[in-house]
């Protein structure tokens, strides 16, 4: 019985790639240094899987930024603004597309389906020229082969690549991206030919868009693409991999009828209904089923007995020699290795499996199916499953009762938003086009050192408070000097917006090295929600009150919302997600009320990940949006009219959920806008009426580029064409923690100057 891994984490167990990338970007190391780190990481990953007994080991899943950008490089689809002149695409062009540079902005970045991973969105049009311009897939296959590991090269499939793209600037929004299929397939053929010549016997095409709601024209594109590739693929075993949801019946029919395809990979964790489809619709004779029974998106140990039962039922359908045990998706969405967690509670640790452990689980299941079951391993797994089910630390009856009591009320504030905004303006007395930032300020090396030493008990609590107070004072002074209207304290006490709150809530556990890549070098360390959630003590009140005491200007209290805490954590899988979210909402509600009682007049409850959690199938949208929006309203339903509630969202497509955003009933929303070519504004041009305060981001903080006053003013004027002057705020796209002060200060200076310029123009026009 064979085993397969869809993909593997790239950053390394100690974030080696992250530090190598940042050193290279800062000019402290060479391209050769970066490549050496990458080469060593790839070799380690391949060896680990080979040693574990995995038969189908992936290559070309490693990336310096993301796999879709790698595909853009492979196809030579570089937008003209990067002045690429042809040839093999190097780091300069590649990273300019990802991050921008001093003269041109980056390409749009958005979420990879419903995960917290991001990808760079290809910009295509009828005049895009395609050419084979990155040999990465072939080079990595050869690299692994030289190490004695025969791998399965992985490519983003041609149809998914086009469906995940967008029309380039200046191209009609109605442009049919699938019309480019015949233009990109010649490049795919070249890659396939080189892989065959290098000795590859298998190739994996990731076509995750097959799980979406596709129309007949889109489905026909899959048939057309793989029919066109059929002769090129002759002699290769071809796996098409899908993940993240059930595959619809029509998509299943299209996929399983492709003549050039040898094997099909399905996510049987988030796509449990696919099992029924395989049983009812049948499975093509002689084809391989790559069964994704080990969860690639969570950190819970697999229930091996349950998975074995599932696999045995599939074996009866597809045949013993045609069933391959696999992960549900790439393991890049989980942490790297549980071995590195030396301080994690031993009971909780026994319930977990990170990427390295999941590789072992996959192989153990494959061996068990082949009649070589490791009885001791399965027994230990069964004991851990029983421990988790019965542990008293998982359940808190008081919390469960409070969450159950939420049903039956919609938890709206007593008055409408226009009445509240009037009351708030009388109290806050803000100018037209008020300026603010999203929350965090640069996280300096010194600041990280202070937090690290406090955690390690190398400095006292008094010394820690003094250092953080000094940092807050510095951030407040900078904002006052810049003449920003509504201030933030900069969040110097927080390494991560979710981790910080999870550390102070019951029901959460934390890792030391459970890092997961979000994009590029950006890594997050998701908390683990293992039990019922409550708030034992205030979490932010001390710091917010301290910051407010330093200024006469309004100081925002900064919280992370319940849906974002949920979606950016590894969530317990023993109860519905909405129940956990309601518990978190009640905990945040207590914090909001304590901030208000402490004199904080503006409270921001970030819901950066609300859109991210939207199910991939439209039939499931309404249920999710109902409980997600309800959870947000629970947090602030009890505050006074004069307390202004802000929320923030970023790096997703919000246009299709704009009515749910309105239904959140926040007083002000700040939302990503600049990097997505101001896509958000189109919804207002189409007639959606928005009466609350809104701050579409005026510049992209994920790029080191500093926008000019004129550029920002131009963006604000575009906003004023579709939004009322009295509701518009001026702010960056997102928090500033990843930037340096020598980037932040001039950018914010220009932002404030732009707001003042337009205020003057508006006043003179009266």
């Amino acid at each position: 019985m064979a085993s397969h891994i869809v993909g593997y984490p790239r950053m390394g167990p100690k974030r080696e790639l992250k530090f190598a990338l940042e050193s290279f970007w800062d000019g402290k190391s060479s391209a050769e240094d970066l490549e050496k780190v990458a080469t060593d990481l790839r070799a380690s990953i391949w060896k680990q899987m080979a040693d574990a007994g995995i038969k189908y080991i992936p290559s070309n899943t490693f990336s310096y930024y993301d796999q879709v950008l790698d595909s853009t490089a492979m196809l030579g689809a570089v937008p003209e603004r990067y002045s690429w002149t042809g040839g093999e695409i190097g780091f300069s062009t590649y990273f300019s597309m990802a991050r921008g540079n001093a003269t041109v902005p980056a390409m749009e970045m958005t979420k990879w389906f419903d995960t917290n991973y991001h990808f760079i969105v290809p910009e295509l049009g009828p005049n895009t020229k395609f050419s084979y311009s990155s040999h990465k897939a072939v080079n990595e296959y050869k690299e692994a082969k030289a190490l004695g590991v025969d791998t399965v090269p992985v490519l983003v499939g041609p149809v998914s690549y086009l469906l995940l793209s967008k029309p380039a600037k200046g191209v009609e929004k109605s442009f049919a991206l699938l019309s480019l299929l015949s233009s990109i397939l010649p490049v795919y053929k070249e890659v396939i030919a080189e892989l065959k010549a290098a000795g590859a016997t298998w190739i994996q095409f990731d076509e995750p868009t097959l799980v979406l709601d596709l129309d007949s024209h889109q489905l026909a594109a899959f048939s057309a693409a793989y029919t066109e590739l059929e002769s090129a693929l002759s002699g290769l075993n071809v796996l098409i991999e899908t993940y993240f949801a059930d595959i619809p019946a029509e998509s299943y029919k299209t996929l399983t009828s492709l003549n050039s395809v040898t094997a099909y990979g399905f996510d049987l964790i988030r796509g449990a209904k696919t099992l029924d489809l395989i049983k009812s619709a049948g499975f093509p004779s002689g084809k391989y089923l790559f069964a994704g029974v080990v969860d690639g998106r969570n950190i819970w140990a697999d229930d091996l007995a349950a998975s074995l039962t599932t696999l045995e039922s599939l074996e009866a359908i597809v045949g013993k020699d045609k069933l391959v045990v696999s992960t549900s998706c790439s393991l890049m969405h989980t942490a790297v290795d549980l071995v590195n967690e030396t301080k994690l509670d031993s009971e909780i640790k026994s319930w977990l499996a990170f990427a390295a452990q999941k590789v072992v689980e996959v192989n153990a299941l494959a061996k068990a199916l082949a009649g070589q079951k490791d009885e001791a391993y399965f027994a230990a797994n069964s004991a851990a499953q029983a421990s988790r089910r019965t542990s008293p630390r998982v359940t808190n009856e008081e919390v469960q009762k409070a969450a159950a009591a939420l049903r039956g009320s919609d938890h709206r504030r007593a008055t409408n938003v226009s009445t509240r905004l009037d009351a708030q303006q009388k109290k806050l007395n803000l100018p037209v086009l008020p300026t603010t930032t999203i929350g965090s300020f640069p996280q300096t090396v010194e600041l990280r050192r202070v937090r690290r030493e406090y955690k390690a008990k190398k400095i006292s609590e008094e010394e820690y408070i003094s250092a953080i107070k000094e940092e807050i004072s510095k951030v407040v002074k900078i904002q006052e000097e810049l003449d920003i209207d509504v201030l933030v304290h900069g969040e110097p006490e927080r390494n991560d917006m979710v981790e910080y709150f999870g550390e102070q809530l019951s029901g959460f556990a934390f890792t030391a090295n459970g890092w997961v890549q979000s994009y590029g070098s950006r890594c997050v360390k998701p908390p683990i929600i293992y039990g019922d959630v409550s708030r034992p003590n205030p979490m932010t009140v001390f710091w917010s009150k301290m910051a407010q005491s330093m200024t006469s200007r309004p100081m925002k209290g900064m919280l992370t919302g319940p849906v974002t805490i949920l979606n950016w954590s590894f969530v317990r899988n023993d109860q519905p997600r909405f129940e956990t979210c309601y518990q978190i909402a009640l905990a945040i509600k207590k914090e909001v009320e304590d901030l208000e009682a402490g004199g904080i007049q503006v409270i921001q409850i970030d819901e950066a990940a609300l859109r991210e959690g939207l199910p991939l199938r439209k039939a499931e949208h309404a249920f999710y949006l109902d409980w997600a929006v309800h959870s947000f309203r629970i947090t602030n339903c009890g505050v006074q009219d004069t307390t202004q509630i802000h929320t923030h969202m970023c790096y997703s497509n919000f246009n299709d959920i704009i009515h749910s955003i309105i239904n959140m009933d926040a007083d002000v929303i700040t939302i990503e806008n600049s990097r997505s070519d101001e896509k958000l504004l189109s919804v207002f041009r189409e007639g959606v009426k928005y009466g609350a305060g809104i701050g579409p981001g005026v510049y992209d903080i994920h790029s080191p580029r500093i926008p000019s006053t004129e550029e920002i003013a131009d963006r604000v004027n575009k906003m004023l064409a579709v939004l009322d002057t009295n509701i518009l705020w001026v702010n960056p796209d997102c928090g500033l923690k990843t930037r340096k002060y020598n980037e932040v200060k001039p950018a914010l200076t220009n932002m404030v100057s732009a707001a003042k310029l337009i205020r003057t123009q508006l006043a003179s026009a009266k």
Side-chain angles (χ1 to χ4, degrees), residues 423-435:
Q424 292 155 15
Q425 180 58 17
K426 285 174 185 172
K427 193 166 187 178
L428 298 173
N429 193 29
L430 297 172
V432 172
L433 306 180
T435 55

Side-chain angles (χ1 to χ4, degrees), residues 357-627:
Q357 288 70 47
K358 289 177 186 292
V359 168
V360 175
E361 288 179 338
V362 166
N363 199 55
L365 286 166
K367 289 175 73 176
L369 272 177
Q372 303 167 41
K373 185 177 180 183
D374 185 334
E375 296 292 351
Y377 183 74
F378 271 71
N381 175 268
S382 179
Q385 298 293 326
S387 161
R388 185 174 167 218
R389 281 193 299 270
T390 58
S391 175
R393 68 201 303 175
V394 171
T395 306
N396 182 323
E397 287 188 18
E398 185 181 336
V399 170
Q400 291 193 350
K401 284 178 184 174
L406 293 170
R407 297 183 183 116
S409 170
D410 64 3
H411 297 90
R412 289 187 182 275
R413 292 171 75 178
T415 53
N416 64 39
V417 69
S418 60
T419 301
R420 299 196 308 262
L421 288 173
D422 287 344
Q424 292 155 15
Q425 180 58 17
K426 285 174 185 172
K427 193 166 187 178
L428 298 173
N429 193 29
L430 297 172
V432 172
L433 306 180
T435 55
T436 190
T437 65
I438 304 305
S440 60
F441 263 63
Q443 300 269 308
T444 62
V445 172
E446 174 62 19
L447 189 53
R448 294 180 191 277
R449 181 192 64 77
V450 167
R451 285 200 305 262
R452 192 168 57 247
E453 290 187 353
Y454 177 59
K455 221 165 195 176
K457 298 189 165 86
K458 292 182 179 178
I459 60 173
S460 67
E461 184 174 17
E462 190 177 299
E463 290 172 308
Y464 173 72
I465 289 172
S466 175
I468 298 298
K469 182 178 180 181
E470 186 179 333
E471 182 70 18
I472 292 172
S473 177
K474 180 180 85 173
V475 168
V476 170
K477 186 179 179 185
I478 288 170
Q479 292 172 94
E480 287 186 327
E481 289 173 349
L482 291 169
D483 204 18
I484 290 173
D485 300 306
V486 176
L487 311 190
V488 298
H489 76 295
E491 304 177 10
E493 78 283 14
R494 309 177 194 181
N495 178 58
D496 177 86
M497 62 188 284
V498 173
E499 183 180 4
Y500 176 80
F501 290 97
E503 284 177 338
Q504 300 180 77
L505 294 168
S506 63
F508 282 74
F510 292 87
T511 63
N513 294 291
W515 297 100
V516 178
Q517 184 184 21
S518 179
Y519 61 87
S521 69
R522 168 89 169 127
C523 297
V524 294
K525 196 165 49 162
I528 298 165
I529 305 177
Y530 67 84
D532 291 333
V533 177
S534 62
R535 185 201 73 147
N537 298 295
M539 302 179 286
T540 65
V541 177
F542 174 77
W543 300 115
S544 293
K545 287 174 69 175
M546 175 191 287
Q548 184 63 81
S549 72
M550 296 175 181
T551 181
S552 60
R553 301 184 185 212
M555 173 65 63
K556 284 197 276 193
M558 299 300 305
L559 304 176
T560 301
V563 186
T564 296
I565 290 177
L566 183 88
N567 286 336
W568 286 357
S569 297
F570 290 125
V571 183
R572 57 189 295 190
N573 57 1
D574 59 345
Q575 70 176 16
R577 287 172 72 88
F578 70 84
E579 290 186 13
T580 303
C581 198
Y582 284 155
Q583 293 177 2
I584 302 169
L586 286 171
I588 299 299
K589 182 176 186 287
K590 290 182 179 180
E591 188 72 11
V592 168
E593 290 166 357
D594 282 350
L595 282 168
E596 183 184 54
I600 304 301
Q601 301 172 55
V602 182
I603 302 171
Q604 181 170 308
I605 308 166
D606 285 345
E607 283 296 11
L610 188 141
R611 172 62 176 78
E612 173 187 312
L614 190 70
L616 300 178
R617 305 286 284 285
K618 289 174 185 173
E620 300 168 19
H621 286 189
F623 178 66
Y624 168 78
L625 289 168
D626 179 66
W627 64 254

Side-chain angles (χ1 to χ4, degrees), residues 626-669:
D626 179 66
W627 64 254
V629 169
H630 187 190
S631 295
F632 176 82
R633 289 201 306 264
I634 288 166
T635 65
N636 60 86
C637 62
V639 300
Q640 299 172 28
D641 285 359
T642 50
T643 298
Q644 190 166 85
I645 299 296
H646 289 221
T647 191
H648 170 67
M649 295 180 171
C650 56
Y651 297 101
S652 287
N653 180 10
F654 301 105
N655 293 26
D656 55 350
I657 63 163
I658 190 67
H659 293 289
S660 294
I661 292 173
I662 294 170
N663 200 27
M664 291 170 73
D665 200 27
D667 296 311
V668 178
I669 179 170

Side-chain angles (χ1 to χ4, degrees), residues 65 69 82 93-100 106-107 120 675 702:
Y65 214 88
L69 182 62
Y82 298 107
T93 300
Y94 181 87
F95 288 129
S96 290
M97 290 192 286
R99 307 176 71 239
M107 295 167 69
I120 302 297
R675 187 158 180 172
H702 289 96

